[in-house]
Amino acid sequence: MEGFPGKHAKPSFITKWWFWGIIAIALVVALVPSRSQSPSSEVSSATASATTSATVSTTPPSANASPTIDLSAQSQQLISAIAASTNAEVMGTETFNPYEEHKQGGPHSRVEYRLDAYKESAGVHGTINGVSVDTVVYRNGKMQRVYLFGNENDVMALYPQVAKVLDPSLSDADITAAVTKYQTDEAKTQTDLLSLSDSHRLMQSDSIIGSGNDCEAFMDANTGN
């Protein structure tokens, strides 16, 4: 029987159950680390996402918002600048809301204050050198207007200073020409004397109406702020 060794050789180890058992265990061991890392990576990803969200959510929503404009402060600065230009003081100042003033029929009410442009506005009333002065700031601080009322001579004495405060580009010659044209007009009614002058840059409209103790001058300028 020695001539046929193959028939009496021991079976190959690959047919043994323990061999395949070892293979199975090896596969399990090889796969387990890969699977255990997956939840960890998911947690890291979730943590990073949560951190990013937290960073974004803590950003102040008003960081890029436009700063709030204090219209009352601007109106007060305007009347103070007019007084300073004449080396005078503002007497008896009062603050008011033009839109509400018209609705309630207040002492500083004017017909134009009924317009929507004055819903967000602020006014200051005072007296400078005997002249009643109202300053109004509206349209988010871009527009400023001044009303002067009183004796004709007192109003016209203050008129040039107000014109310069509202529109510094106005020349003395153009301002003097406006005053002269009003004073020599028998009707005592002039409009757009400054806003149509060659030197104006900011003045949008203006007028001088009345005489004696009932003279009123008005100027409206676009500050461009």
Side-chain angles (χ1 to χ4, degrees), residues 1-222:
M1 302 297 277
E2 294 179 357
F4 302 95
K7 291 184 178 181
H8 298 282
K10 292 183 178 181
S12 173
F13 65 87
I14 64 174
T15 63
K16 302 297 182 178
W17 64 268
W18 50 264
F19 173 77
W20 290 110
I22 292 173
I23 295 297
I25 293 172
L27 289 173
V28 170
V29 171
L31 292 175
V32 166
S34 174
R35 291 176 181 176
S36 64
Q37 289 177 359
S38 179
S40 175
S41 63
E42 290 177 2
V43 171
S44 298
S45 176
T47 302
S49 177
T51 302
T52 302
S53 298
T55 301
V56 172
S57 63
T58 54
T59 302
S62 60
N64 297 323
S66 300
T68 303
I69 297 176
D70 190 340
L71 300 182
S72 294
Q74 285 195 10
S75 190
Q76 182 63 59
Q77 290 171 2
L78 178 56
I79 197 170
S80 295
I82 294 171
S85 69
T86 62
N87 296 317
E89 293 184 3
V90 184
M91 308 298 292
T93 58
E94 300 175 46
T95 60
F96 64 94
N97 181 300
Y99 190 76
E100 292 299 322
E101 191 77 2
H102 175 71
K103 286 177 61 177
Q104 298 171 11
H108 310 302
S109 176
R110 294 179 183 276
V111 176
E112 55 268 34
Y113 293 162
R114 74 187 189 282
L115 302 175
D116 288 346
Y118 297 96
K119 283 186 176 180
E120 297 294 334
S121 63
V124 174
H125 169 80
T127 302
I128 302 176
N129 288 340
V131 176
S132 173
V133 180
D134 285 356
T135 58
V136 175
V137 177
Y138 63 111
R139 287 185 179 169
N140 204 31
K142 294 182 179 180
M143 298 297 296
Q144 297 183 342
R145 57 175 47 203
V146 177
Y147 298 89
L148 308 176
F149 181 80
N151 177 270
E152 177 182 343
N153 293 330
D154 294 336
V155 169
M156 297 318 297
L158 189 57
Y159 182 90
Q161 281 71 29
V162 175
K164 278 289 190 180
V165 169
L166 286 177
D167 190 349
S169 66
L170 286 167
S171 68
D172 292 338
D174 282 340
I175 295 174
T176 300
V179 172
T180 300
K181 189 169 185 178
Y182 160 74
Q183 291 176 333
T184 57
D185 177 29
E186 292 184 2
K188 296 291 185 179
T189 301
Q190 291 292 328
T191 59
D192 296 322
L193 295 172
L194 300 175
S195 59
L196 295 180
S197 65
D198 293 336
S199 61
H200 94 280
R201 294 294 178 274
L202 306 178
M203 198 68 69
Q204 299 298 299
S205 61
D206 59 278
S207 65
I208 311 174
I209 301 173
S211 60
N213 291 323
D214 296 317
C215 176
E216 180 175 83
F218 155 77
M219 301 178 206
D220 190 52
N222 185 338

